[in-house]
Amino acid sequence: KTIYLVTPTYHRLTQQADLVRMSNTLKLVESIHWIVIEDSNKKTDLVKNILEDSSIKHTQLYVSTSNDLVRLNSDPRWKKHRGVDQRNLGLKWLRENITGQINDGVVYFADDDNTYHENLFKEMRNTKKISMWPVALVGGLNWEGPVCKNGRVVSFYTAWEPNRMFPVDMAAFAINLHVILENNDVYINPEVKRGYLETDFLERLGITKDEIEAKAEDCQKILVWHTQTSEPNMKNEIKLQSLGRGSNPKIVI
Ligand code: UGA
Ligand code: MN
C-alpha cells in the first residue's frame, strides 16, 4: 500500500531546514508518495531541489492561500487556519489522478514542521478506514488525542473544546484512500471555528468513533510531535545588509 503524504509548505527562513529534516525521515520509509503543495503562485526551485535530491516519489503543486484566509501581520498565529487551500488541492489531485487502485492507499496530512518517527508510517500503512494515535506537544498538553483500549478509542485526552467529536490534531490520523475517493465532494472547510478543521472534516467523511483503528501500542506510544520551528533572529543580517555588507544572496538558506 502506498502512503500519500499531503504536505502544505510556505516560504520562510526555516522552510528548507524543515523540509530537509522531513525528507530525511521520509527517506527511511518505503512506498510513499509525497505530495507537497506550496503556498505560492508558482513552483519554487527551493522546494523542487529538495524533492529531487531526496529521490522520494513526489508531486510538487502550488496554490497561494485565498485572500480571505490570509493572516494579517498583526493577527496572532492562530487567527486563521493554515494550509487549508493547499491540503484541499492535494485532495483534488488525489481524486483526479489516483484511479483504479482504490483500497490500495492511505492518505496522511503531514505538516512540514512536525517531527515524525519512521515507525509512524508502519502503523498507518494498514489503515482499513481510519486510524488514530496521539500527537505530542499540542493543545498546551504533553500530548492530545485518543485514549484507547483493545484497539478501539474509548475517549479523548484534550483540554480545549472537549465537545468536539474528534478533538485531534491533523497529524493524529490517516485515512484509507477509498474513503477520500468515495466522498469526492468532501474538502477541508476553512470557514469552521478555530480548532474545528479536523473534527469537521472527519465528521463529514462519515467517520464514527467506533470504527477508528487505534495504533501506536493502543495509543500509548508517541510517534509524532507537533514541533514548531522558532523564527530565527536576523538582527545582524539586517544590520549588515543596511550597511551593504549582507551575506551573499545566491546562498539559499
Ligand atoms: C496547527 C495544526 O497542527 C495544523 O494542522 C493546522 O492547520 C493549524 O494549526 C491551523 O490552525 O490551521 P501550526 O503548527 O500552528 O498547526 O501551523 P503550521 O505548521 O504553521 O501550518 C500548518 C501547515 O500549513 C504547515 O505545513 C505549513 O507549512 C502550512 N502553511 C502555514 C501554509 O501553507 N501557509 C501559511 O501561510 C502557513
Ligand atoms: Mn506546525
Side-chain angles (χ1 to χ4, degrees):
K1 248 189 212 174
T2 299
I3 298 174
Y4 296 93
L5 293 151
V6 175
T7 300
T9 187
Y10 71 110
H11 185 66
R12 59 196 185 277
L13 282 165
T14 59
Q15 182 179 30
Q16 183 169 204
D18 280 339
L19 285 172
V20 166
R21 184 161 44 123
M22 186 169 174
S23 77
N24 283 341
T25 304
L26 297 183
K27 280 183 210 174
L28 304 171
V29 186
E30 61 181 41
S31 301
I32 54 170
H33 185 148
W34 196 11
I35 302 165
V36 177
I37 312 98
E38 295 188 71
D39 185 349
S40 164
N41 52 24
K42 58 171 177 21
K43 289 187 193 183
T44 67
D45 285 343
L46 187 147
V47 172
K48 178 169 163 268
N49 291 337
I50 295 168
L51 291 173
E52 284 177 0
D53 289 351
S54 76
S55 304
I56 296 164
K57 182 170 182 189
H58 63 267
T59 298
Q60 183 183 2
L61 304 171
Y62 66 90
V63 57
S64 57
T65 297
S66 70
N67 278 334
D68 46 335
L69 288 180
V70 172
R71 195 169 52 114
L72 302 175
N73 274 335
S74 53
D75 289 341
R77 184 181 173 107
W78 47 261
K79 187 88 179 259
K80 296 273 168 150
H81 300 300
R82 301 155 75 79
V84 175
D85 287 346
Q86 291 70 33
R87 293 188 194 103
N88 282 339
L89 182 61
L91 289 172
K92 183 163 174 277
W93 186 91
L94 285 169
R95 286 163 176 160
E96 288 173 355
N97 291 278
I98 312 297
T99 48
Q101 345 175 345
I102 300 194
N103 295 322
D104 223 15
V106 172
V107 180
Y108 181 52
F109 296 111
D111 288 352
D112 63 356
D113 59 342
N114 294 335
T115 304
Y116 304 93
H117 195 293
E118 64 170 308
N119 291 346
L120 177 66
F121 304 97
K122 296 187 186 134
E123 295 287 329
M124 72 174 76
R125 194 176 301 273
N126 59 4
T127 300
K128 293 184 198 72
K129 185 162 187 184
I130 174 150
S131 57
M132 255 187 212
W133 48 81
V135 177
L137 309 178
V138 72
L141 297 166
N142 281 351
W143 60 270
E144 182 184 62
V147 176
C148 307
K149 206 175 169 185
N150 303 326
R152 293 289 136 188
V153 175
V154 293
S155 62
F156 290 92
Y157 180 62
T158 185
W160 190 72
E161 301 265 349
N163 290 330
R164 291 177 290 168
M165 188 185 280
F166 303 109
V168 297
D169 186 75
M170 207 57 89
F173 57 88
I175 303 168
N176 192 294
L177 183 62
H178 80 77
V179 179
I180 298 293
L181 299 183
E182 281 162 13
N183 294 273
N184 231 321
D185 52 344
V186 178
Y187 284 90
I188 298 174
N189 180 5
E191 306 291 331
V192 298
K193 282 199 288 189
R194 179 187 167 209
Y196 281 76
L197 279 187
E198 296 85 351
T199 193
D200 173 75
F201 180 65
L202 295 175
E203 287 170 44
R204 283 185 295 110
L205 283 175
I207 307 287
T208 62
K209 193 171 124 187
D210 300 337
E211 60 198 3
I212 299 171
E213 302 144 53
K215 301 292 183 186
E217 297 176 11
D218 238 5
C219 306
Q220 299 196 43
K221 177 108 182 136
I222 298 298
L223 295 171
V224 55
W225 294 259
H226 182 255
T227 42
Q228 293 178 306
T229 309
S230 68
E231 203 184 317
N233 182 337
M234 289 290 116
K235 68 173 194 298
N236 288 328
E237 185 69 41
I238 292 164
K239 192 156 86 194
L240 289 175
Q241 273 176 20
S242 73
L243 297 170
R245 294 196 275 116
S247 60
N248 181 352
K250 288 197 185 126
I251 297 178
V252 181
I253 51 155

